[in-house]
Amino acid sequence: MFVRAKYAFLFTLMVFVMSSCATHDKEYTYVSIKTDLGKIVIKLYNDTPEHRDNFIKLARSGFYDGLLFHRVIKDFMVQGGDPDSREAKADQPLGSGGPGYTLPAEFIPAHFHKKGALAAARQGDNVNPEKRSSGSQFYIVTGQVFSESQLSSMEQQMNRMREETLFQSLATAHRQEIMQYRMARNQVALAELQDKLIAETKDSLRKEGPIRFTPEQKEAYTTIGGAPHLDGSYTVFGEVVEGFDVLDRIQSVPTREGDRPKQDIKMSVKVLE
């Protein structure tokens, strides 16, 4: 009886150790984000090296320590990393700060906005057409669960938006020509140019193919949820592996105008060696 109990204990201990080792694959870098509501552990992706290395650099320098999760929207995301949030007054506008540089976008189709995804915040397309990322601000997706029909409708909407954006971009490139035709009231030339730009738009869309969610995206978005409308527009460079309960606690806090939590939620970020 004693021998059996002894081996049962050793077996249980071995399983625990193996499970612990499996959690943190040595091929990846892991970081912990300690908050007033608990700790979150995140795995950084290796195929987004610009964002990975920058996040590691900032974490090791203590850049994030004492900053706030300054923007929290339930069933969407929690955002932090603005250096202006350190010791910020309750009525101080936040969300524009950074380290003084941006990062090039690193869009990897396999990395998408499922719940727990770590992504880089950025300025809007109107002032940031290259979709460059903030040098320090990030968000973690909480999102919501979608049905298959909702995802199908979203695909259609995203394809329409892409078509409109592409057409507007082409029209902007021909702005001077358009203005000349308008000044001359040359409706025939305007119509011909419009038809030409529509044809170029359609041709470009045919070459790129329609936006379609992959089976992996559909599986995630219909089970754990996420924010699929952000895919392809913001760089996803990691994911939560521990602390989903903490993430849910953060996203559920009361907020004031501007989506800032009424009670400050401070963070400290450490690289797990």
Side-chain angles (χ1 to χ4, degrees), residues 170-194 196-197 200:
L170 290 172
T172 298
H174 289 78
R175 184 177 183 277
Q176 186 173 358
E177 188 177 356
I178 292 171
M179 294 302 295
Q180 289 175 346
Y181 291 152
R182 283 182 176 174
M183 291 291 291
R185 298 184 179 180
N186 191 338
Q187 298 300 321
V188 173
L190 276 173
E192 289 177 349
L193 178 58
Q194 177 178 281
K196 175 186 174 184
L197 297 184
E200 289 181 10

Side-chain angles (χ1 to χ4, degrees), residues 56-241:
I56 292 171
K57 178 191 72 174
L58 293 179
R60 285 180 171 157
S61 71
F63 179 93
Y64 289 115
D65 297 347
L67 301 189
L68 306 180
F69 277 101
H70 66 270
R71 186 174 178 227
V72 171
I73 303 177
K74 185 170 172 51
D75 298 328
F76 182 34
M77 58 92 218
V78 302
Q79 182 174 334
D82 181 351
D84 296 339
S85 69
R86 185 179 284 107
E87 307 300 334
K89 296 180 180 178
D91 59 349
Q92 181 177 335
L94 298 172
S96 300
Y101 59 84
T102 59
L103 300 172
E106 293 181 294
F107 297 147
I108 306 297
H111 304 326
F112 51 90
H113 286 79
K114 63 185 177 182
K115 182 174 182 177
L118 170 70
R122 66 175 179 84
Q123 290 185 305
D125 290 355
N126 57 327
V127 295
N128 182 25
E130 294 181 355
K131 304 182 190 299
R132 291 182 67 89
S133 300
S134 164
S136 63
Q137 289 197 46
F138 64 89
Y139 60 92
I140 305 174
V141 176
T142 54
Q144 57 182 298
V145 175
F146 294 85
S147 66
E148 291 274 1
S149 61
Q150 285 176 313
L151 291 179
S152 179
S153 296
M154 192 172 293
E155 284 177 339
Q156 295 176 20
Q157 181 181 4
M158 291 168 74
N159 280 298
R160 284 196 299 270
M161 289 180 62
R162 184 173 70 168
E163 182 175 0
E164 291 173 5
T165 300
L166 180 56
F167 179 79
Q168 290 172 2
S169 176
L170 290 172
T172 298
H174 289 78
R175 184 177 183 277
Q176 186 173 358
E177 188 177 356
I178 292 171
M179 294 302 295
Q180 289 175 346
Y181 291 152
R182 283 182 176 174
M183 291 291 291
R185 298 184 179 180
N186 191 338
Q187 298 300 321
V188 173
L190 276 173
E192 289 177 349
L193 178 58
Q194 177 178 281
D195 290 343
K196 175 186 174 184
L197 297 184
I198 290 174
E200 289 181 10
T201 299
K202 297 291 186 183
D203 184 56
S204 180
L205 292 174
R206 278 194 296 271
K207 291 177 180 178
E208 294 178 7
I211 295 173
R212 291 283 185 269
F213 292 124
T214 65
E216 292 76 17
Q217 286 173 298
K218 290 181 179 179
E219 172 67 20
Y221 291 140
T222 57
T223 54
I224 63 173
H229 65 286
L230 299 181
D231 287 347
S233 293
Y234 295 79
T235 297
V236 176
F237 63 101
E239 64 179 82
V240 172
V241 295

